[in-house]
């Protein structure tokens, strides 16, 4: 071990497990690519104000969890704690919304940073794949995103996840509800800090995990009962479209999310095999965010799925992903002449798209065959001086153990035909 270790709350992705993370990212991205979402990549850090304004001044993410710092040049930056504000900032900056093709549909994949208390499933560096559909108010778009997330999880073989759905209303009806909730909260026996939170962001109090607080909240007014007609109709349409697609969900009138930009549709994907960090993904509509960061009105909706937690969910369900073997052919040369010949053959195999590897380090037959076995290759190609004199190489099928001599000039074509 070196003198250094991975920072607290972080971990390294290393083979063979790292292949699972790649497969999960790919499985989440595939349905998005197939549905008109284009790939976007933004910097790992942004102006700190973007998140303060976008995610919300009073959220835990902004007040407690942000890696904020001043650069040598005096800029106030923060490592991105989430992707939505950055993606919207980038879309506005590139004027994507003016190209006359709304909604702008984007997907992304990357690292995010939150200074949280580390525990299983909660890290300070984690990975998300996300999707944002910018510039359209259409319940079909909300439904599309929920259906695509469901499809992604199912394509991985996950079964035991649930979709929780709620509406957080809009700028018409939420203030009325907010006032009613504040009245209710001020009648409870709450500590100073919680009462302060009730003043700034009363919906967050509903998410308080402490049992003595939860006990007092059973009679709390629900936003569901305050939705205006437009929000009610919108939500009903989303529910109908998801139902028609055969995607099961649960209405959760108490679902509030940890970010302030949400309006109307909000949802979370939870997996019951994960303990307290059960949210494998979440998202919703954010019709006011663009204006909050200085842009025009652009009603939008999106989600982000946590890659780390999705991998944990797969493990909790005992799902083994079918990962393609990384190496199909392993070449074992015995002697210098064979070394030059097989090295050239490996290069040729790779050119025709066959995954091939080579025994490096001048190993003897025994050590080289051990590497061949570990590589998981289906075939090994061995060549020694006598083989070369006969103009052949030995092709060994690692599953059956069968070995045949194949002409030096035929070996690439032979492997191509055997590997299909
Ligand atoms: P979020 O719910 O904060 O939403 O994060 C989405 C997912 O990222 C979570 O469900 C979880 O799986 C994963 N995640 C979050 N924090 C951690 C952590 N500390 N360790 C491991 N995994 C974590 C957002 O980030 C919104 N930007 C989603 C969105 C997109 N809403 C609209 N568009």
């Amino acid at each position: 071990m070196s003198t250094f270790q991975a920072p607290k709350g972080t971990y390294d992705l290393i083979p063979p497990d790292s292949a699972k993370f790649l497969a999960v990212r790919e499985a989440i991205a595939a349905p998005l690519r197939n549905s008109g979402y284009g790939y976007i990549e933004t910097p790992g850090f942004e102006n700190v104000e973007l998140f303060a304004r976008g995610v919300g001044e009073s959220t835990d993410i902004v007040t407690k969890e942000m890696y904020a710092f001043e650069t040598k040049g005096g800029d106030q930056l923060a490592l991105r704690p989430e992707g939505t504000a950055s993606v919207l900032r980038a879309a506005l900056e590139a004027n994507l919304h003016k190209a006359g093709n709304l909604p702008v549909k984007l997907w992304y994949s990357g690292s995010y940073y939150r200074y949280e208390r580390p525990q299983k499933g909660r890290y300070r560096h984690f990975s998300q794949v996300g999707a944002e559909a910018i510039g359209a108010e259409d319940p079909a778009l909300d439904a599309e995103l929920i259906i695509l997330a469901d499809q992604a999880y199912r394509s991985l073989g996950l079964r035991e996840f649930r979709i929780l759905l709620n509406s957080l209303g809009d700028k018409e009806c939420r203030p009325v509800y907010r006032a009613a909730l504040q009245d209710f909260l001020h009648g409870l026996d709450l500590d100073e800090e919680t009462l302060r939170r009730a003043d700034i962001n009363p919906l967050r109090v509903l998410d308080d995990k402490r049992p003595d607080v939860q006990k007092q909240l059973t009679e709390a007014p629900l936003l569901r009962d305050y939705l205006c007609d437009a929000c009610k109709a919108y939500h009903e349409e989303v529910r109908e479209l998801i139902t028609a697609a055969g995607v099961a969900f649960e209405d959760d009138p108490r679902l509030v999310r940890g970010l302030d930009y949400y309006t109307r549709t909000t949802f979370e994907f939870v997996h019951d095999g994960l303990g307290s960090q059960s949210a494998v993904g979440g998202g919703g509509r954010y019709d006011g965010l663009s204006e909050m960061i200085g842009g025009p009105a652009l009603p939008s909706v999106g989600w982000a799925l946590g890659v780390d937690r999705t991998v944990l969910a797969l493990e909790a369900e005992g799902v083994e992903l079918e990962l393609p073997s990384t190496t199909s052919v392993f070449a074992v040369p015995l002697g210098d002449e064979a070394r030059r010949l097989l090295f050239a053959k490996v290069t040729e195999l790779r050119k025709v798209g066959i995954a091939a590897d080579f025994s490096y380090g001048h190993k003897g037959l025994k050590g080289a065959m051990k590497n061949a076995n570990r590589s998981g290759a289906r075939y090994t190609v061995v060549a020694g001086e006598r083989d070369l004199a006969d103009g052949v190489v030995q092709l060994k099928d690692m599953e059956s153990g069968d070995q045949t001599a194949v002409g030096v000039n035929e070996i690439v074509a032979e492997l191509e035909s055997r590997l299909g």
Side-chain angles (χ1 to χ4, degrees):
M1 193 150 86
S2 87
T3 324
F4 302 102
Q5 287 173 355
K8 186 173 170 191
T10 73
Y11 62 103
D12 305 304
L13 296 182
I14 43 181
D17 279 358
S18 51
K20 271 195 248 177
F21 283 74
L22 279 181
V24 166
R25 287 193 187 112
E26 188 45 46
I28 301 173
L32 296 170
R33 279 202 202 100
N34 201 28
S35 312
Y37 289 77
Y39 180 67
I40 183 167
E41 211 168 299
T42 64
F45 50 82
E46 296 272 354
N47 186 316
V48 69
E49 264 308 295
L50 172 69
F51 300 118
R53 279 208 242 164
V55 177
E57 298 275 10
S58 72
T59 58
D60 282 353
I61 294 182
V62 169
T63 55
K64 301 184 190 154
E65 299 168 4
M66 212 145 57
Y67 283 89
F69 57 98
E70 185 178 302
T71 64
K72 289 187 172 65
D75 293 330
Q76 304 293 334
L77 302 179
L79 298 187
R80 58 184 180 188
E82 64 105 41
T84 310
S86 312
V87 166
L88 187 53
R89 192 270 308 141
L92 290 170
E93 193 171 329
N95 282 322
L96 297 185
H97 60 296
K98 290 188 184 158
N101 195 20
L102 296 178
V104 177
K105 300 209 287 186
L106 302 166
W107 76 274
Y108 52 95
S109 171
S111 291
Y112 296 86
Y113 307 87
R114 295 183 193 174
Y115 190 75
E116 296 200 74
R117 200 164 43 77
Q119 67 177 94
K120 184 164 187 204
R122 189 167 66 195
Y123 310 107
R124 290 181 173 174
H125 164 260
F126 58 96
S127 164
Q128 291 184 342
V129 176
E132 313 292 350
I134 296 164
E137 191 185 274
D138 184 341
L141 206 50
D142 309 37
E144 165 175 290
L145 279 160
I146 294 170
I147 293 164
L148 292 177
D150 181 78
Q151 204 180 319
Y153 287 134
R154 286 185 189 284
S155 76
L156 283 163
L158 275 184
R159 293 291 174 266
E160 291 160 24
F161 64 94
R162 294 180 291 131
I163 302 176
L164 309 179
L165 184 67
N166 194 19
S167 171
L168 291 180
D170 64 6
K171 56 179 186 289
E172 298 301 319
C173 51
R174 182 127 51 122
V176 183
Y177 168 71
R178 195 173 182 273
L181 181 62
Q182 263 166 342
D183 272 355
F184 172 84
L185 294 174
H186 278 290
L188 302 180
D189 179 21
L190 298 171
D191 57 274
E192 279 297 309
E193 199 195 326
T194 313
L195 284 172
R196 223 175 8 253
R197 183 177 293 164
D199 287 334
I200 307 167
N201 195 344
L203 269 76
R204 298 286 318 136
V205 180
L206 294 180
D207 211 21
D208 199 310
K209 299 284 186 286
R210 292 172 294 179
D212 59 309
V213 177
Q214 273 305 323
K215 214 162 53 204
Q216 299 188 66
L217 293 174
T218 46
E219 298 293 313
L222 293 173
L223 186 45
R224 179 167 69 186
D225 302 322
Y226 287 76
L227 290 181
C228 60
D229 287 344
C231 285
K232 238 186 255 172
Y234 192 96
H235 196 57
E236 209 31 60
E237 180 71 10
V238 174
R239 294 178 76 259
E240 275 176 28
L241 288 167
I242 310 171
T243 308
V247 171
F249 63 91
E250 296 167 25
D251 291 307
D252 183 354
R254 287 172 174 273
L255 176 72
V256 285
R257 307 248 310 119
L259 306 95
D260 280 354
Y261 48 60
Y262 291 113
T263 51
R264 291 193 168 171
T265 315
T266 42
F267 45 86
E268 214 153 73
F269 306 95
V270 294
H271 194 281
D272 295 321
L274 292 189
S276 66
Q277 301 308 313
S278 62
V280 287
R285 187 155 270 287
Y286 47 95
D287 293 342
L289 179 57
S290 174
E291 286 149 300
M292 277 148 67
I293 63 168
L298 278 175
S300 307
V301 58
W303 51 239
L305 311 189
V307 177
D308 310 73
R309 288 188 197 166
T310 302
V311 170
L312 290 174
L314 288 167
E315 286 166 6
E317 276 194 45
V319 178
E320 289 290 337
L321 295 179
E322 272 182 43
L323 301 172
S325 164
T326 44
T327 303
S328 300
V329 178
F330 197 91
V332 174
L334 303 168
D336 282 344
E337 198 188 334
R339 202 176 142 71
R340 279 189 289 272
L341 176 87
L342 288 194
F343 188 75
K345 291 294 172 197
V346 162
T347 303
E348 236 181 282
L349 284 167
R350 289 171 179 167
K351 269 192 201 149
V352 299
I354 293 176
D357 205 354
F358 186 75
S359 174
Y360 292 101
H362 302 276
K363 289 193 183 70
L365 183 61
K366 210 167 144 209
M369 287 310 286
K370 212 189 255 174
N371 285 9
N373 268 318
R374 287 223 184 105
S375 77
R378 175 68 203 274
Y379 294 101
T380 305
V381 178
V382 187
E385 270 169 33
R386 197 178 312 150
D387 297 313
L388 296 190
D390 295 345
V392 298
V393 294
Q394 301 297 327
L395 177 59
K396 184 170 178 185
D397 182 329
M398 301 296 274
E399 259 169 38
S400 65
D402 292 346
Q403 187 167 313
T404 40
V406 178
V408 167
N409 294 330
E410 281 82 58
I411 185 65
V412 172
E414 174 67 20
L415 281 165
E416 269 189 289
S417 95
R418 286 204 194 195
L419 287 163

